[in-house]
Amino acid sequence: MSTGPADGFGSEIREADGSFEATARVVDAGGSDDERVVEAALRPRRLAEFPGQPRVRDQLGLVLEAARRRGSPPDHVLLSGPPGLGKTTLAMIVAAELERPIRVTSGPAIQHAGDLAAVLSSLDEGEVLFLDEIHRMSRAAEEMLYLAMEDFRVDVVVGKGPGATAIPLELPPFTVVGATTRAGLLPAPLRDRFGFTGHLDFYEVGDLVAILHRSAGLLGVEADEAAVREVAGRSRGTPRIANRLLRRVRDWAQVHGGGHVDHHAAREALALFDVDEAGLDRLDRAVLEALCRRFAGGPVGLSTLAVAVGEESDTVETVAEPYLVREGFMARTPRGRTATGRAWAHLGLQAPAHAPQQSVLPLDDDGPGRLGG
Ligand SMILES: Nc1ncnc2c1ncn2[C@@H]1O[C@H](COP(=O)(O)OP(=O)(O)OP(=O)(O)O)[C@@H](O)[C@H]1O
């Protein structure tokens, strides 16, 4: 376990064995449980306050408004996309817009059909059931959920063995909001039960600027436009990272700058936490340095590259690579990893003539990366 602070302070925290603790990275798109408590205060409460994701916002707004006018629960909603982009926030907003209570649980918490039956049978009419990480539910629970979503019914099995009987239990109408970082892992029958699916994309800098201004206000911090832009530009298109970096800049400003978040404070704090202009941290840059300086831009195999930066292959592949590939710093080719022109330029090095300009095999956004890419 990490020995570092729990809210994403550290830009790198090393385990006793020297390996990299990914979840402690200041640019990690995942959130710890402690951080989620801090985040709760920063969530927009209504759709009209939710910056970014204009398509999903407009489509969802229509679905909810129509349901409200009909006076019946809307179709079930599936939200997919990388961590930290606002799936949980939108689920809360669905309930707020419908003015209904929300029940929150997650796939890993529902391992037996009985766990789900207990939740479903206690729902009130019109209640919203938020199922986070829905792709991690057990198969038996998934099957029970199909039936409940479609017919508002669960079969409660009483007894065991040959004498067991299924007693159908009617449920009041309710709305499931499912969230997943891996929509591709959901079995088709479950996916088909959702009448509305919204895929969240990485945010534009302008939207992150709006989010940061709002967060600064909620944190009671005075922040200049230039400072907010600097933070937004290094946040990897991810509100969770943007808010976390803002909190670190606020800390710096409180200790060194009289509390005012200006451009100087932003640059100094981000340098201290090792987040560069492109949002890369030390691990990302170490991978690029190794690729360019030691392997002349590649191609080089993943395990060789990992040894060169002193990390596990898995860490390089799932922690650093998704963002590097998404941003066109690195390409994955059948012969190995190669540095693109952007990588050479980022390190201030002259690219050899053969360097590809961008990635040739981009990773799926829903891929295994922890960085939201
Ligand atoms: N559009 C947005 N506007 C303002 N803040 C946002 C927005 N989207 C996300 N956030 C903030 O980012 C943080 C993470 O958001 P949220 O928990 O909703 O992400 P998520 O997609 O559910 O992540 P995970 O997949 O890790 O559960 C929260 O503090 C939330 O307030």
Side-chain angles (χ1 to χ4, degrees):
M1 285 298 294
S2 159
T3 51
D7 77 342
F9 279 54
S11 56
E12 59 154 1
I13 293 178
R14 289 192 179 260
E15 303 281 270
D17 66 0
S19 66
F20 198 89
E21 165 68 272
T23 54
R25 299 174 83 201
V26 77
V27 292
D28 181 28
S32 67
D33 287 347
D34 288 359
E35 186 172 38
R36 282 170 201 270
V37 176
V38 184
E39 284 181 345
L42 301 180
R43 289 189 198 288
R45 309 273 168 210
R46 305 304 286 240
L47 219 42
E49 296 170 14
F50 187 90
Q53 313 293 340
R55 264 185 95 70
V56 172
R57 205 181 50 211
D58 291 352
Q59 292 169 347
L60 190 57
L62 181 77
V63 169
L64 298 179
E65 177 58 22
R68 231 170 43 82
R69 290 189 189 190
R70 282 195 306 271
S72 59
D75 278 356
H76 303 296
V77 172
L78 181 63
L79 300 169
S80 70
L85 299 191
K87 298 180 296 297
T88 305
T89 305
L90 278 175
M92 305 284 172
I93 287 176
V94 167
E97 294 289 341
L98 295 170
E99 298 178 0
R100 305 303 304 172
I102 183 166
R103 192 80 58 96
V104 178
T105 185
S106 69
I110 297 184
Q111 283 313 308
H112 306 288
D115 300 336
L116 183 63
V119 174
L120 290 171
S121 59
S122 63
L123 289 176
D124 289 330
E125 181 159 353
E127 196 162 349
V128 173
L129 174 61
F130 176 47
L131 279 168
D132 200 6
E133 297 186 79
I134 191 170
H135 59 275
R136 294 180 61 192
M137 246 175 7
S138 70
R139 184 47 60 98
E142 261 172 25
E143 283 169 11
M144 175 178 278
L145 187 62
Y146 306 155
L147 190 65
M149 289 170 76
E150 190 138 303
D151 297 342
F152 298 112
R153 182 168 67 86
V154 285
D155 287 332
V156 180
V157 179
V158 181
K160 279 192 175 154
T165 37
I167 302 176
L169 178 69
E170 298 294 325
L171 304 172
F174 60 93
T175 302
V176 174
V177 179
T180 180
T181 50
R182 311 288 299 273
L185 292 186
L186 282 191
L190 180 55
R191 231 179 309 152
D192 293 346
R193 279 2 183 240
F194 290 95
F196 173 75
T197 299
H199 180 77
L200 274 59
D201 285 320
F202 293 100
Y203 288 65
E204 305 289 335
V205 167
D207 292 326
L208 292 174
V209 166
I211 290 169
L212 286 167
H213 274 305
R214 183 177 170 279
S215 299
L218 291 169
L219 291 170
V221 171
E222 264 185 68
D224 291 354
E225 178 71 17
V228 162
R229 287 213 158 262
E230 190 70 47
V231 173
R234 302 191 192 198
S235 299
R236 300 172 169 238
T238 305
R240 170 173 288 134
I241 298 176
N243 282 337
R244 188 187 297 140
L245 294 183
L246 176 68
R247 295 199 300 276
R248 298 296 73 82
V249 175
R250 172 208 54 190
D251 293 347
W252 193 96
Q254 274 170 353
V255 173
H256 300 290
H260 187 81
V261 168
D262 59 14
H263 194 224
H264 175 69
R267 290 191 67 82
E268 290 294 320
L270 294 169
L272 180 65
F273 283 95
D274 257 322
V275 182
D276 73 15
E277 279 81 1
L280 306 191
D281 74 351
R282 279 182 57 179
L283 176 65
D284 302 318
R285 285 194 304 276
V287 169
L288 292 187
E289 292 269 355
L291 200 48
C292 293
R293 291 187 195 275
R294 295 194 51 181
F295 302 107
V300 57
L302 175 65
S303 49
T304 310
L305 184 59
V307 169
V309 294
E311 293 298 342
E312 298 292 327
S313 298
D314 190 50
T315 304
V316 172
E317 187 173 25
T318 62
V319 177
E321 204 171 79
Y323 184 69
L324 294 175
V325 173
R326 185 187 113 208
E327 289 299 306
F329 287 104
M330 181 197 248
R332 301 199 328 166
T333 73
R335 289 170 48 230
R337 274 61 177 170
T338 59
T340 63
R342 187 173 182 200
W344 290 93
H346 191 71
L347 298 177
L349 302 172
Q350 180 68 39
H354 68 264
Q357 287 313 299
Q358 56 182 11
S359 312
V360 289
L361 287 180
L363 292 178
D364 183 351
D365 278 353
D366 288 350
R370 300 194 47 74
L371 305 178

